[in-house]
Amino acid sequence: MQGNNSGSRDTILEIQDLVAGYGASEVLHGISMDIQVGEIVTMVGANGAGKTTTLRSICGLTNIRGGTVLFKGLKTTGKAPHVMSARGLAFVPQERSIFPSLSVHENLEMGGYRLADDGRFEERVERVYGRFPVLDQRRKQRAGTLSGGERRMLAIGRGLMSNPDLLMLDEPSLGLAPKLVEEVFRHIQEIHEDGTTVFVVEQNARRALSIADRAYVIELGRIRHQGSGQELLQDPEVQRAYLGG
Amino acid sequence: MGIAAQLLVNGLIAGGTYALAAIGYSMVYGALKFINFAHGSIAMVGAYIAFVLFSLGGIPIIPAFLLSMALTALLGVLVERLAYRPLRASPKLASLTTSVAVSFALDASVMMLLGAEIRSFRLPMQRTFQIGPVYLTLVQTVIIACSFAFMFGLYFLLTFTKLGKSIRAIADDLLLAEISGINGNLVIAAVFAIGSALAAAAGVLIGMETNLQPTMGFMITVKAFAAVVLGGLGNVYGAILGGFIIGIVENLGAWYISPVWKDSIAYVILILVLFVRPAGLLGKPEDATVV
Amino acid sequence: MFASYGLIVHLLVIIAIYGILSLSLNLVLGVTGLFSIAHAAFYGVGAYTSALLTMRGIPWVVAMPAGMVLAGIVAYIIGIPTVRLVGDYLAVVTLGLGEIARAVFRNWISVTRGPMGLPGIPSASIFGFTFGTAEQYLVLAAICLLVVYVICQRLLSSPFGRVLKAIREDQRATLALGKNVDRFKMWSFVIGAAMAGLAGSLFAHYIGFIDPSSFVMWLTFFLFLIIVLGGLGNNLGTVLATVVFVAAREGLRFVGLPDWINPAALQQFVFGMLLVVMTLFKPEGLIPARKVTYRRYRQRVEG
Ligand SMILES: Nc1ncnc2c1ncn2[C@@H]1O[C@H](COP(=O)(O)OP(=O)(O)O)[C@@H](O)[C@H]1O
Ligand SMILES: [Mg+2]
């Protein structure tokens, strides 16, 4: 691992007092959090709390007013998104997460764009097809014609193609039928078990907390609670606000 | 019957050049979602570069042609870098206005440097030969061959190469492409380079078949523009189809109606098509309507 | 100074006519954000209609409005398929309209006399009073400019104008407010075209001669430059920019140039570069509209 200038050798992502927003409006009012190598971390919160904005800020897609974001010990502010991708960050957005007019296979190629010439493209793409057999059957199909669930799998597969050190997923279960939600979470768990550090943002708090090593609860642009997934599942306040009981 | 075949072939020749010019329009629209009015003027500059190299510089026509494509590609990249990239986040009106201004500035530059008079390549290739009922000159044969060769090359590039796929990816979603690790600025520069090189080819071929004038860029803009919208904004193959349709209809119209209306026919068709199918022949309807 | 009295009066008349044209384009493009490049065509329709009718004995007070109405009708027809589409289509179709209009002026020889143009267009007259001299014509043109200016100002501050500006700023949000965006865009387009038709009529009866070359694309571009410099959407800025530019354009004719420079090309080059530089570095124009633009709002909030 490179970049241990923050002292903690295993911290892959470290956010301190992040203040960010869009244009004139401030959405995040001082967020601090971190992710260690090998963890699966989740951030839960209501619609509009600032989860997507947090992820976008990490990728440098928002207007950052204060605080720092260190990825592998290096500042991310002002870096183009493709540079962050090259450094090992993968982001699967909540919407618009596939290229609809490209084929399934081409979508995966674009995900592994940077590495396409390292000679191990085939190996990676076959691993993704192995993980998501539905995609394997549809290699030549235009991605725009896939169902919602298939699109989600393709988006995750696209994120994996760059061999990321940190995979960030924005509400991967949103709008899916319960059976598919289970499938998506099973995949996320498997991806984590296979050695990828994962940061997943969810409104589906119960499901997300149950798979997470650690979790953050965000409310109106501020971190309200943090702890291990199990701790937060037991926390009465969190239960009342986010777990419907 | 014979005349119809001849008109069809003439339409194919004109259409090939329009299609080449329209490709660049369509690719830039795909990448940046704005109409680059300066594209026709870039084609004009390409024609003049080849003219200067060939007629004044004494370089043989084929190297002059290729060199002009390369230099024009550079010009296209430069225009994007200096005039369009700073405006990418601004309202679309700003890029449209700038591209009109760039177009006028390019026309004026050529007019100042080389004069407003009509020029000609004077190629020794006007020998006519006959295929069935159709007469063709050597230049016309070259035009057909070139336009088909370039279009096939483009198809190959877009379908099978990494660059081509990333061009299609940024046309789908620039942000997602960048998140995926594609250097958007680099690909956009490539789009301008390819589009401008093909525009130069169109300009040179039109110049060979007819002649050169600093105002020819506007004519190319008008035709390519109609072709792109007819085929479906942003769809490269639609633009090619549109180019051929306009070339053919124009030539038929010039013969059966009157040659003075030749340049208006394309637009009458275009407006009629927009009434019926706003997205153009191959476009996706959801791209055409607002919101 | 060699600028004679007569020359100044002439300049003022041209400024007034261009002022009307610029204001009308400002309504369409500056206020509503419709990228119309056919303005020269509407100007031409107004000029030809008015000229042809008066040459057949119809009084100017009837011919002039007829030109305006016809320009408006053409805009309406063009607008039907295009106002509901993304802005680029309006650009394409209006570019085509410009070409078609020019082809009609040039080729419908039995009526327009084609490239030879229409000479001997009678002066404008109202109920027996003829605006025969340049001074009299200046009064007429100035009154028309004033009326158009007042109408444009009224439109801007009316509920109608606020919707137009909202469309320019954010069409989606305006739609969400339940406004019939297409109808508003159409009205703006038609009114703008009719005003350009008025300018055309004034021009035809002032010069007394028109031909197709008076209505080329270059004119529309010149108007672009004026409204961009005047600050898109700002009527006063538009008028002031008209004064500066028309004067500058006429002035450029008197600058001693070496003969290898084509003055028309130089003018086109200078104005083209100027527009590029303006859009890049000062997009709000030299005289920004006096409303709280998003940019200024942000500056204020961010300090
Ligand atoms: N592009 C944007 N421009 C301005 N405000 C935005 C934008 N995207 C989101 N917001 C605002 O930021 C806040 C947080 O949004 P978001 O981060 O998307 O929330 P979440 O992902 O938790 O649902 C919301 O109030 C939303 O309205
Ligand atoms: Mg979100």
Side-chain angles (χ1 to χ4, degrees), chain C residues 225-237:
Chain C
L225 188 56
I226 288 175
I227 66 169
V228 167
L229 259 92
L232 285 176
N234 180 345
N235 290 325
L236 185 62

PDB file of all heavy atoms in Angstrom, chain C residues 225-237:
ATOM      1  N   LEU C 225     -24.394  39.621 -32.289  1.00  0.00           N
ATOM      2  CA  LEU C 225     -23.293  40.316 -31.649  1.00  0.00           C
ATOM      3  C   LEU C 225     -23.845  41.470 -30.811  1.00  0.00           C
ATOM      4  O   LEU C 225     -23.435  41.680 -29.666  1.00  0.00           O
ATOM      5  CB  LEU C 225     -22.360  40.829 -32.752  1.00  0.00           C
ATOM      6  CG  LEU C 225     -21.041  41.424 -32.320  1.00  0.00           C
ATOM      7  CD1 LEU C 225     -20.284  40.433 -31.477  1.00  0.00           C
ATOM      8  CD2 LEU C 225     -20.221  41.787 -33.545  1.00  0.00           C
ATOM      9  N   ILE C 226     -24.788  42.204 -31.394  1.00  0.00           N
ATOM     10  CA  ILE C 226     -25.362  43.348 -30.681  1.00  0.00           C
ATOM     11  C   ILE C 226     -26.034  42.896 -29.394  1.00  0.00           C
ATOM     12  O   ILE C 226     -25.776  43.452 -28.325  1.00  0.00           O
ATOM     13  CB  ILE C 226     -26.370  44.087 -31.592  1.00  0.00           C
ATOM     14  CG1 ILE C 226     -25.615  44.839 -32.686  1.00  0.00           C
ATOM     15  CG2 ILE C 226     -27.247  45.041 -30.776  1.00  0.00           C
ATOM     16  CD1 ILE C 226     -26.509  45.498 -33.706  1.00  0.00           C
ATOM     17  N   ILE C 227     -26.854  41.860 -29.479  1.00  0.00           N
ATOM     18  CA  ILE C 227     -27.592  41.520 -28.253  1.00  0.00           C
ATOM     19  C   ILE C 227     -26.703  40.823 -27.239  1.00  0.00           C
ATOM     20  O   ILE C 227     -26.922  40.936 -26.043  1.00  0.00           O
ATOM     21  CB  ILE C 227     -28.896  40.735 -28.524  1.00  0.00           C
ATOM     22  CG1 ILE C 227     -28.612  39.371 -29.104  1.00  0.00           C
ATOM     23  CG2 ILE C 227     -29.839  41.504 -29.411  1.00  0.00           C
ATOM     24  CD1 ILE C 227     -29.864  38.520 -29.116  1.00  0.00           C
ATOM     25  N   VAL C 228     -25.686  40.122 -27.699  1.00  0.00           N
ATOM     26  CA  VAL C 228     -24.764  39.520 -26.726  1.00  0.00           C
ATOM     27  C   VAL C 228     -24.002  40.633 -26.002  1.00  0.00           C
ATOM     28  O   VAL C 228     -23.838  40.613 -24.785  1.00  0.00           O
ATOM     29  CB  VAL C 228     -23.788  38.543 -27.408  1.00  0.00           C
ATOM     30  CG1 VAL C 228     -22.655  38.171 -26.466  1.00  0.00           C
ATOM     31  CG2 VAL C 228     -24.522  37.280 -27.819  1.00  0.00           C
ATOM     32  N   LEU C 229     -23.561  41.623 -26.756  1.00  0.00           N
ATOM     33  CA  LEU C 229     -22.848  42.724 -26.106  1.00  0.00           C
ATOM     34  C   LEU C 229     -23.760  43.559 -25.237  1.00  0.00           C
ATOM     35  O   LEU C 229     -23.342  44.064 -24.193  1.00  0.00           O
ATOM     36  CB  LEU C 229     -22.157  43.608 -27.152  1.00  0.00           C
ATOM     37  CG  LEU C 229     -20.692  43.243 -27.176  1.00  0.00           C
ATOM     38  CD1 LEU C 229     -20.435  42.197 -28.200  1.00  0.00           C
ATOM     39  CD2 LEU C 229     -19.832  44.448 -27.359  1.00  0.00           C
ATOM     40  N   GLY C 230     -24.993  43.697 -25.664  1.00  0.00           N
ATOM     41  CA  GLY C 230     -25.927  44.498 -24.877  1.00  0.00           C
ATOM     42  C   GLY C 230     -26.368  43.781 -23.614  1.00  0.00           C
ATOM     43  O   GLY C 230     -27.001  44.384 -22.759  1.00  0.00           O
ATOM     44  N   GLY C 231     -26.046  42.526 -23.506  1.00  0.00           N
ATOM     45  CA  GLY C 231     -26.474  41.747 -22.333  1.00  0.00           C
ATOM     46  C   GLY C 231     -27.785  41.069 -22.676  1.00  0.00           C
ATOM     47  O   GLY C 231     -28.835  41.711 -22.687  1.00  0.00           O
ATOM     48  N   LEU C 232     -27.734  39.764 -22.943  1.00  0.00           N
ATOM     49  CA  LEU C 232     -28.922  39.024 -23.360  1.00  0.00           C
ATOM     50  C   LEU C 232     -30.107  39.341 -22.457  1.00  0.00           C
ATOM     51  O   LEU C 232     -30.011  39.242 -21.245  1.00  0.00           O
ATOM     52  CB  LEU C 232     -28.642  37.524 -23.303  1.00  0.00           C
ATOM     53  CG  LEU C 232     -27.767  36.947 -24.410  1.00  0.00           C
ATOM     54  CD1 LEU C 232     -27.490  35.480 -24.164  1.00  0.00           C
ATOM     55  CD2 LEU C 232     -28.431  37.140 -25.760  1.00  0.00           C
ATOM     56  N   GLY C 233     -31.206  39.727 -23.067  1.00  0.00           N
ATOM     57  CA  GLY C 233     -32.411  39.970 -22.284  1.00  0.00           C
ATOM     58  C   GLY C 233     -32.538  41.395 -21.798  1.00  0.00           C
ATOM     59  O   GLY C 233     -33.538  41.760 -21.205  1.00  0.00           O
ATOM     60  N   ASN C 234     -31.537  42.224 -22.044  1.00  0.00           N
ATOM     61  CA  ASN C 234     -31.577  43.605 -21.560  1.00  0.00           C
ATOM     62  C   ASN C 234     -31.916  44.547 -22.712  1.00  0.00           C
ATOM     63  O   ASN C 234     -31.130  44.733 -23.638  1.00  0.00           O
ATOM     64  CB  ASN C 234     -30.212  43.946 -20.963  1.00  0.00           C
ATOM     65  CG  ASN C 234     -30.164  45.357 -20.426  1.00  0.00           C
ATOM     66  OD1 ASN C 234     -31.023  46.181 -20.722  1.00  0.00           O
ATOM     67  ND2 ASN C 234     -29.153  45.638 -19.644  1.00  0.00           N
ATOM     68  N   ASN C 235     -33.101  45.157 -22.665  1.00  0.00           N
ATOM     69  CA  ASN C 235     -33.554  45.995 -23.783  1.00  0.00           C
ATOM     70  C   ASN C 235     -32.736  47.272 -23.937  1.00  0.00           C
ATOM     71  O   ASN C 235     -32.345  47.644 -25.035  1.00  0.00           O
ATOM     72  CB  ASN C 235     -35.027  46.352 -23.609  1.00  0.00           C
ATOM     73  CG  ASN C 235     -35.908  45.140 -23.819  1.00  0.00           C
ATOM     74  OD1 ASN C 235     -35.608  44.288 -24.651  1.00  0.00           O
ATOM     75  ND2 ASN C 235     -36.979  45.052 -23.049  1.00  0.00           N
ATOM     76  N   LEU C 236     -32.473  47.931 -22.828  1.00  0.00           N
ATOM     77  CA  LEU C 236     -31.704  49.175 -22.905  1.00  0.00           C
ATOM     78  C   LEU C 236     -30.300  48.876 -23.428  1.00  0.00           C
ATOM     79  O   LEU C 236     -29.789  49.571 -24.315  1.00  0.00           O
ATOM     80  CB  LEU C 236     -31.640  49.842 -21.521  1.00  0.00           C
ATOM     81  CG  LEU C 236     -30.958  51.209 -21.529  1.00  0.00           C
ATOM     82  CD1 LEU C 236     -31.720  52.188 -22.407  1.00  0.00           C
ATOM     83  CD2 LEU C 236     -30.837  51.760 -20.106  1.00  0.00           C
ATOM     84  N   GLY C 237     -29.696  47.831 -22.889  1.00  0.00           N
ATOM     85  CA  GLY C 237     -28.370  47.428 -23.346  1.00  0.00           C
ATOM     86  C   GLY C 237     -28.375  47.131 -24.830  1.00  0.00           C
ATOM     87  O   GLY C 237     -27.451  47.503 -25.561  1.00  0.00           O
TER      88      GLY C 237
END
